[in-house]
């Protein structure tokens, strides 16, 4: 839809593309709903018994699930993450990201608490679907972990689609007033009130391990999850392993969870032989344009004392952007001066979510910048811009 709008008058004509939210949700469910069923069939085929219910430890190697006690030589924890508790009055009025993606219809005014990737992705979607989307972020800079210069460009793109982003607007309370809510932000400068029909929690996620009764099993944890060694084994209870968002290592992302799950499985079967390699984990904010990153940020590379050559620029004038009228795009690629290794890559723009994988591959397999420059890329693809970025 965004593409259609951008190209209108530049080769496309006609009215009327819009988001049909109920149809979109129906389509989405064709991807999400069969998953547990497929999964259970796969488990049954592999000889894995499935128990439904919340599990919690009773001792070092036993769990209770819905009245049944399960004892094993080992236990693997893969309990994922949940929304962080904010400890503010009216917290119970927050809608979770899962609930947002299950809404039968989209209300006219939606406020997002927190300026992380979930808020940005949902706000871009909601704004294009016709809602008034508002992001309230406590700090001066949203999207922590992404390159600040590209975040500034994405902020401009976000505001250009009509999302109202308020920075330095920490949410202090949520009040219910009749059939809508009021989100109250509080700063030294005073309190502001924002009316909304729906308030979405986008203020961070934490490991979902609070109700596992880890203490009974002697399992050490910290704020990032179960504390594990390089083999993803609990440092305090060797019978226990952890993977995914519940483990205190690695980023909370699907491919990381998959990799760690496989490492845990292999270590359980073969003894501690496998380590999870978290290097070069690409990560994407699925906005339009998408923002993607892999490896080090500029500040991290400089703090580490590395001699870095920073290649960066605005790419809105490049053909890749111009031919689809993408007005907000840019890149920053960090190359170590001595070795010519790629240390980090940050992309905003058309197909950034795909091109970032090339940089991830270069970092992981040590492909130096000159080789990326001489590679032959299919033209005219977004990937063919890589040679101008290194
Ligand atoms: C809105 C949103 C968008 C995201 N987008 C992306 C994206 O674009 N790309 C990406 O890579 N990642 C994304 N993520 C992150 C990704 O979903 C997680 O990193 C990934 O699902 C983690 O996998 P996991 O197996 O560790 O946990 P989960 O997939 O969360 O699975 C954990 C399961 O354990 C269950 N469980 C928890 N506690 C217990 C208990 N006590 N007993 C029994 N069962 C329990 C939970 O109900 C859940 O079913 C997104 C997350 C959210 C919320």
């Amino acid at each position: 839809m965004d593409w259609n709008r951008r190209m209108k008058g530049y080769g496309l004509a006609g009215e009327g593309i819009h988001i049909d939210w109920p149809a979109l949700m129906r389509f989405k469910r064709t991807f999400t709903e069969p998953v547990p069923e497929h999964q259970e069939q796969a488990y049954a085929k592999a000889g894995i018994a499935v128990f439904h219910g919340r599990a919690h430890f009773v001792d070092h190697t036993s769990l209770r699930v819905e009245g049944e006690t399960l004892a094993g030589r080992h236990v693997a924890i893969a309990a994922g993450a949940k929304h962080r508790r904010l400890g503010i009055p009216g917290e119970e009025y927050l809608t979770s990201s899962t609930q947002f993606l299950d809404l039968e219809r989209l209300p006219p005014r939606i406020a997002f608490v927190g300026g992380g990737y979930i808020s940005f992705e949902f706000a871009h979607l909601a704004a294009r679907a016709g809602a008034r989307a508002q992001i309230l972020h406590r700090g001066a800079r949203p999207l922590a972990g992404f390159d600040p210069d590209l975040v500034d460009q994405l902020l401009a793109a976000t505001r250009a689609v009509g999302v109202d982003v308020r920075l330095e607007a920490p949410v202090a309370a949520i009040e219910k007033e009749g059939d809508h809510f009021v989100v109250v932000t509080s700063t030294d400068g005073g309190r502001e009130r924002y009316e909304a029909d729906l308030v979405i929690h986008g203020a961070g996620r934490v490991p979902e391990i609070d109700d596992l009764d880890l203490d009974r099993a002697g399992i050490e944890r910290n704020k990032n999850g179960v504390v594990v060694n390089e083999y993803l084994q609990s440092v305090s209870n060797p019978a226990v392993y952890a993977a995914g968002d519940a483990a205190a290592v690695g980023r909370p992302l699907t491919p990381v969870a998959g990799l760690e799950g496989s490492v845990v499985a292999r270590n359980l079967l073969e003894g501690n032989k496998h380590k999870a390699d978290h290097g070069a984990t690409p990560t994407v904010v699925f906005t339009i344009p998408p923002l993607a990153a892999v490896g080090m940020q500029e500040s991290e590379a400089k703090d580490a004392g590395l001699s870095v050559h920073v290649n960066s620029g605005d790419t809105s004038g490049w053909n890749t952007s111009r031919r689809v009228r993408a007005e907000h795009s840019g890149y920053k690629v960090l190359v170590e001066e001595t070795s010519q290794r790629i240390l980090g890559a940050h992309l905003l723009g058309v197909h950034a979510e795909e091109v970032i994988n090339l940089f991830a591959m270069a970092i992981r397999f040590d492909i130096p910048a000159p080789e990326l420059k001489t590679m032959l890329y299919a033209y005219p693809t977004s990937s063919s811009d890589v040679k101008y970025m290194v």
Side-chain angles (χ1 to χ4, degrees), residues 53-55 78-80 97 117-118 205 208 212 244-245 252-255 257 286:
R54 295 202 71 82
S97 52
Y117 76 90
I118 291 176
R205 289 168 65 79
E208 191 168 3
L212 278 172
D245 291 2
L253 292 168
T254 298
F286 288 95

Side-chain angles (χ1 to χ4, degrees), residues 51-56 64-65 77-83 97-98 101 117-118 121-122 205 208-209 211-212 243-247 251-258 260 282-286:
F51 297 81
H52 291 268
R54 295 202 71 82
H56 56 98
R64 248 184 119 63
V65 189
I77 301 175
K82 61 176 179 183
H83 290 291
S97 52
T98 313
L101 288 173
Y117 76 90
I118 291 176
E121 290 175 357
F122 287 2
R205 289 168 65 79
E208 191 168 3
I209 52 177
D211 65 350
L212 278 172
D245 291 2
R251 283 170 176 250
L253 292 168
T254 298
V256 176
E260 291 177 355
T283 172
V284 176
V285 184
F286 288 95

Side-chain angles (χ1 to χ4, degrees), residues 84-124:
R84 187 168 70 83
R85 265 194 64 74
L86 303 182
I88 55 168
E91 180 156 18
E92 66 277 15
Y93 299 131
L94 285 168
T95 293
S96 72
S97 52
T98 313
Q99 290 166 324
F100 175 84
L101 288 173
D102 236 5
L103 289 174
E104 285 302 331
R105 67 173 199 94
L106 209 56
R109 297 170 302 177
I110 306 176
F112 295 89
V113 178
Y117 76 90
I118 291 176
S119 290
F120 271 78
E121 290 175 357
F122 287 2
H124 269 244

Side-chain angles (χ1 to χ4, degrees), residues 43-258:
Y43 289 152
K45 228 171 165 179
I48 298 167
V50 178
F51 297 81
H52 291 268
R54 295 202 71 82
H56 56 98
F57 281 91
V58 286
D59 63 36
H60 275 58
T61 49
S62 312
L63 294 152
R64 248 184 119 63
V65 189
E66 297 287 303
E68 279 196 74
T69 303
L70 309 172
R73 203 158 8 125
H74 293 289
V75 180
I77 301 175
K82 61 176 179 183
H83 290 291
R84 187 168 70 83
R85 265 194 64 74
L86 303 182
I88 55 168
E91 180 156 18
E92 66 277 15
Y93 299 131
L94 285 168
T95 293
S96 72
S97 52
T98 313
Q99 290 166 324
F100 175 84
L101 288 173
D102 236 5
L103 289 174
E104 285 302 331
R105 67 173 199 94
L106 209 56
R109 297 170 302 177
I110 306 176
F112 295 89
V113 178
Y117 76 90
I118 291 176
S119 290
F120 271 78
E121 290 175 357
F122 287 2
H124 269 244
L125 175 59
R128 289 184 174 88
R132 192 209 66 191
Q134 207 157 35
I135 297 176
L136 304 166
H137 180 63
R138 65 179 171 190
R141 201 170 274 289
L143 295 167
F146 288 89
D147 179 72
D149 297 329
L150 297 186
V151 167
D152 281 347
Q153 277 188 286
L154 179 57
L155 260 179
T158 304
R159 288 178 168 139
V161 292
V163 178
D164 179 16
V165 186
R166 303 289 172 116
L167 302 177
E168 298 185 340
V171 172
I174 302 162
E175 295 167 4
K176 187 150 175 52
E177 260 183 21
D179 59 354
H180 66 272
F181 302 101
V182 176
V183 185
V184 184
T185 63
S186 174
T187 58
D188 293 345
R191 287 164 90 82
E192 300 270 356
R193 296 168 67 79
Y194 301 89
E195 288 194 358
D197 304 299
L198 197 66
V199 188
I200 311 288
H201 192 314
R205 289 168 65 79
V206 291
E208 191 168 3
I209 52 177
D210 294 338
D211 65 350
L212 278 172
D213 292 336
L214 297 178
D215 290 347
R216 290 201 194 156
I219 299 168
E220 192 181 322
R221 60 167 291 178
N222 63 24
K223 68 177 177 31
N224 298 320
V226 175
V227 182
V228 289
N229 62 20
E230 56 194 343
Y231 303 104
L232 304 181
Q233 182 181 34
S234 157
V235 292
S236 54
N237 176 350
V240 170
Y241 287 73
D245 291 2
V249 290
R251 283 170 176 250
L253 292 168
T254 298
V256 176

